[in-house]
């Protein structure tokens, strides 16, 4: 693996940055360079081939796809297809009557995208049929791998004959990857992939790989791990009963959306967890912790697959539901009359949890309070940079300014569910009895009436990037080199202050008059790296109470940014090593 200026996460930032930055890369060895005819090169190429199966309901060919928008005439009705969601409109028209013959005509000209990502304008049906004939037959094995994809951007180092780096190529899409790997296969370029890279599986889960050997194994294992849907039916309603049953029982499913008789019941049923068990037993974990048991069965008809749910008490779920759509990690169910359920697969979530299992999860690592709303007031800002630590014998500690405030916690049973109560002096907003509504190894959600709390696990010692951030912060004293709030430069307010990040989690700030301002800090990962800092009400540092996204970091400089909900930059904070 190549040696980068920073640890692997920061390599990702560097390769995608628009700024001129230095990246130190050592020449690859034989195992790192991509060889033109190697198995790995072929596998990478196969993942980048354009998959044309998603629109088979229109063109009945998996080796090509129709560029949208396109106008079609379905059973005499003219329909404009603007997005993949509109494929459902075609299927709904097809399924309207069981005993009719379905017809679809395309309004030409159209643009066709081939498996090599090239585009062709087609003027009539005969020209389209000629292209379709070049495809392999329905459900026959083809060259593309659809069960796993790269998470972009990724980058390749390009070398000359002397193993000297001459370029770093950033890849943003399958199309770019296809054409780059084609050059590798034809011997035009000599390159190696810069690790780590993240691979996304068909169920939505991600795998981080760190070298060529791992990458080859991951792609090889995944290439036949899903249904590539290379048939001429849309939405996989051609499922066999056995395959559908196995999918349902493979993992728990979380309710993402729920509508019954046109009534939106998301607030009532969102995050209910459904577990399909053997012997046609189905268990539903309600948000309040109650476990409800019913029965389930499936059948497959000419109109598609159906799932029948029956409960004595959960009447809104009791119905025979059509499988309306299947996506990786997601099932959409519907029934006439305005009934709809969207379920998301979650193999990490715990359904049959116990008091002992809850305790084990709590005691594994530190926990960040990422959301805390009590009586309609958001209180999570009071806990920025102050994680909780749960111990045996019902002891809980909150780390504030580098010192632990000790309290107690209890796990109790209420109405067939579990509750968590935390008692810490001076922290009444934690003292409520919190129903455990959602439990997985890294996330716990709690509710009580209109109150809500979310805890996220923090295990810094197993994350190389976090260890790097911690070491950089602790190793030096820092000063504010830049603080911009919108268009206003407020750097001068922090002139001559010295910031010292201590290993205990205490931020010691020395002001120009040798006074001390206390603060708390915590570097953590949440789809990126963040630095949480909290200084209480002490001006001017109270303005920095925030969870800042780390954009760049080195031994001498740290750049932090505050983003709005729409992704715009609202504030920039730059810390530089004090000389």
């Amino acid at each position: 693996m190549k040696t980068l200026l920073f640890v692997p996460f920061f390599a990702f930032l560097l390769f995608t940055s628009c700024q001129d930055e230095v990246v130190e890369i050592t020449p690859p060895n034989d195992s790192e360079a991509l060889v033109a005819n190697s198995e790995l090169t072929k596998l990478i190429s196969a993942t980048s081939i354009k998959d044309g199966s998603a629109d088979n309901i229109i063109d009945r060919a998996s080796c090509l796809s129709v560029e949208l928008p396109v106008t079609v005439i379905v059973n005499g009705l003219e329909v404009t297809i603007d997005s993949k969601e509109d494929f459902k409109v075609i299927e709904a028209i097809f399924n309207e009557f069981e005993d009719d013959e379905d017809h679809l005509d395309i309004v030409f000209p159209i643009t066709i995208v081939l498996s090599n990502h090239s585009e062709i304008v087609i003027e009539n049906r005969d020209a389209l049929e000629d292209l379709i004939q070049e495809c392999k037959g329905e459900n026959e094995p083809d060259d593309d791998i659809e069960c796993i994809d790269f998470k972009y951007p990724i980058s390749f180092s390009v070398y000359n004959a002397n193993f000297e780096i001459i370029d770093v190529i950033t890849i943003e899409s399958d199309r770019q990857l296809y054409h780059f790997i084609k050059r590798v296969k034809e011997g035009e370029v000599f390159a190696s992939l810069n690790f780590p890279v993240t691979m996304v599986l068909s169920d939505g889960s991600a795998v981080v790989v760190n070298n060529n050997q791992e990458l080859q194994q991951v792609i090889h294992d995944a290439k036949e791990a899903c249904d590539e849907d290379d048939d001429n039916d849309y939405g996989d309603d051609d499922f066999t009963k056995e395959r559908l049953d196995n999918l349902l029982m493979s993992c728990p499913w979380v309710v993402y959306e729920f509508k019954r008789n046109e009534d939106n019941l998301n607030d009532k049923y969102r995050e209910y967890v459904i577990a399909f068990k053997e012997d046609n037993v189905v268990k539903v974990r309600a948000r309040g912790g109650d476990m409800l048991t019913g029965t389930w069965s499936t059948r497959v008809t000419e109109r598609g697959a159906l799932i029948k749910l029956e409960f004595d008490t959960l009447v809104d779920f009791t119905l025979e539901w059509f499988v309306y759509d299947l996506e990786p990690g997601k099932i959409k169910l519907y029934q006439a009359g305005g009934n709809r359920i969207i379920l998301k697969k979650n193999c990490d979530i715990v359904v049959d949890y116990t008091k002992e299992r809850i305790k084990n999860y709590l005691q594994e690592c530190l926990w960040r309070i990422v959301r805390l709303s009590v009586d309609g007031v958001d209180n999570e800002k009071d806990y920025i940079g102050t994680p909780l630590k749960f111990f045996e014998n019902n002891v809980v500690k909150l780390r504030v300014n580098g010192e632990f405030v000790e309290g107690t916690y209890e796990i109790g049973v209420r109405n067939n569910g579990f509750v968590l109560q935390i008692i810490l002096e001076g922290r009444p907003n934690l003292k409520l009895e919190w129903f455990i509504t959602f439990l997985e190894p890294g996330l716990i959600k709690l509710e009580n009436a209109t109150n809500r709390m979310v805890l996220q696990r923090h295990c810094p010692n197993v994350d190389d990037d976090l260890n790097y951030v911690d070491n950089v912060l602790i190793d030096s004293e820092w000063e504010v080199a830049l603080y911009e709030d919108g268009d206003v430069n407020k750097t001068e307010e922090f002139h001559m202050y010295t910031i010292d990040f201590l290993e205990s989690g205490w931020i010691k700030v020395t002001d120009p008059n040798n006074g001390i301002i206390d603060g708390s800090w915590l570097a953590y990962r949440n789809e990126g790296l963040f630095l949480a800092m909290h200084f209480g009400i002490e001006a001017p540092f109270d303005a920095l109470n925030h969870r800042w996204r780390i954009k760049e970091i080195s031994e001498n400089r740290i750049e932090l940014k505050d983003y709005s909900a729409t992704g715009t930059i609202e504030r920039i904070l730059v810390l530089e090593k004090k000389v």
Side-chain angles (χ1 to χ4, degrees), residues 508-524:
K508 177 184 176 183
V509 179
T510 306
D511 69 19
N513 298 315
N514 294 318
I516 300 296
I517 297 175
D518 292 321
S520 297
W521 71 278
L522 182 74
Y524 66 93

Side-chain angles (χ1 to χ4, degrees), residues 344-384:
K344 289 189 175 182
K345 187 176 182 179
N346 188 332
C347 297
D348 292 327
I349 196 169
V350 180
V351 180
D352 299 316
Y353 47 83
T354 63
K355 184 175 180 179
E356 189 64 28
R357 177 174 285 180
I358 296 170
K359 277 193 172 183
N360 290 338
Y361 282 154
L362 287 173
Q363 293 172 16
E364 280 182 355
C365 293
L366 298 171
W367 292 84
R368 297 188 304 109
I369 298 177
V370 299
R371 180 171 181 180
L372 179 61
S373 177
V374 177
D375 296 330
V377 179
D378 291 333
N379 301 114
E380 64 265 20
K381 288 187 177 180
D382 295 335
Y383 296 90
I384 293 175

